[in-house]
Structure formats: structure tokens, C-alpha cells
Amino acid sequence: MSPTPSATTVIVHRIRLLDGVDPERFESWVRDVDYAACPRLPGVVAFAVHRVADAGAASPGEYFEVIEVTDRADFARDMRSGTFRGLVAEFEKMATVVAELTGDRVGSGYRSG
């Protein structure tokens, strides 16, 4: 299934590192392991982890990730895969998801060329 921009579901997770976890260790894992696994998850259209920069709104070690998926059913299938389960196992050693938002994009949205 080829995704179209108007058919994309977006999932946003607010993430907090576990006590004692070095942010650089987590960020290195995101860059080298988490992002590298995305091509093996066919339901994932786009994925990025962001460090929370607003010091007044967050404590150190807070992040959010934005996952764009073709649809919920495709992503549910990806979540049952060995690749995804392995990512979750490693993630849970470093961080926890403290909040989740899921929604469907209204129209095609905007993205500069």
C-alpha cells in the first residue's frame, strides 16, 4: 500500500528518560538503532525523536517522538514484528512513554519542498 499524505495517521509520544540514563546514550541509540530499523517497519512513513528544548516546560531527559504511519492496522502489524519488539525491549531499559496522542491528519498539511 502506497501512503498518501491525506491518509497518514500521526502518533506522538512524550518520553522521559529513566533515572541515571545518560541522554547521549539514548540519543546515540535513537540515531544508530531506532532510525535504522524504520525501513523494516513497512507501516512507518516517517519517524523522528526530538529533544524538548523549552526548559520551563520539561525536566532534563524529556523528548517527544512523532511517528507517521500509513494507518493504524499497518502499524499494529509492525508492532507485532520481532524488529519492533526488539526496539521496545531496548527502549524500556532507557526511557518510558509518559503520554500518547494519536490522530489523523486533516488534509494534506504543509511541508516545504
Side-chain angles (χ1 to χ4, degrees):
M1 174 180 179
S2 178
T4 59
S6 61
T8 307
T9 295
V10 177
I11 304 162
V12 179
H13 289 142
R14 185 170 179 174
I15 298 167
R16 184 171 299 128
L17 296 184
L18 300 177
D19 289 340
V21 173
D22 178 19
E24 182 50 42
R25 173 182 166 220
F26 176 72
E27 292 178 21
S28 177
W29 176 82
V30 166
R31 286 188 302 270
D32 299 339
V33 178
D34 211 9
Y35 290 164
C38 287
R40 296 190 308 275
L41 302 170
V44 175
V45 175
F47 173 68
V49 175
H50 307 266
R51 186 182 318 107
V52 175
D54 182 357
S59 60
E62 288 205 24
Y63 297 82
F64 64 95
E65 63 184 8
V66 179
I67 311 163
E68 292 183 50
V69 299
T70 52
D71 65 40
R72 288 177 179 94
D74 289 346
F75 191 58
R77 190 171 29 257
D78 287 347
M79 289 171 40
R80 292 188 298 271
S81 73
T83 296
F84 193 89
R85 288 193 315 265
L87 292 170
V88 168
E90 288 302 309
F91 174 88
E92 289 178 342
K93 293 175 185 175
M94 296 178 281
T96 187
V97 172
V98 295
E100 177 179 280
L101 296 170
T102 301
D104 298 317
R105 186 179 324 179
V106 176
S108 60
Y110 171 79
R111 187 171 296 194
S112 72

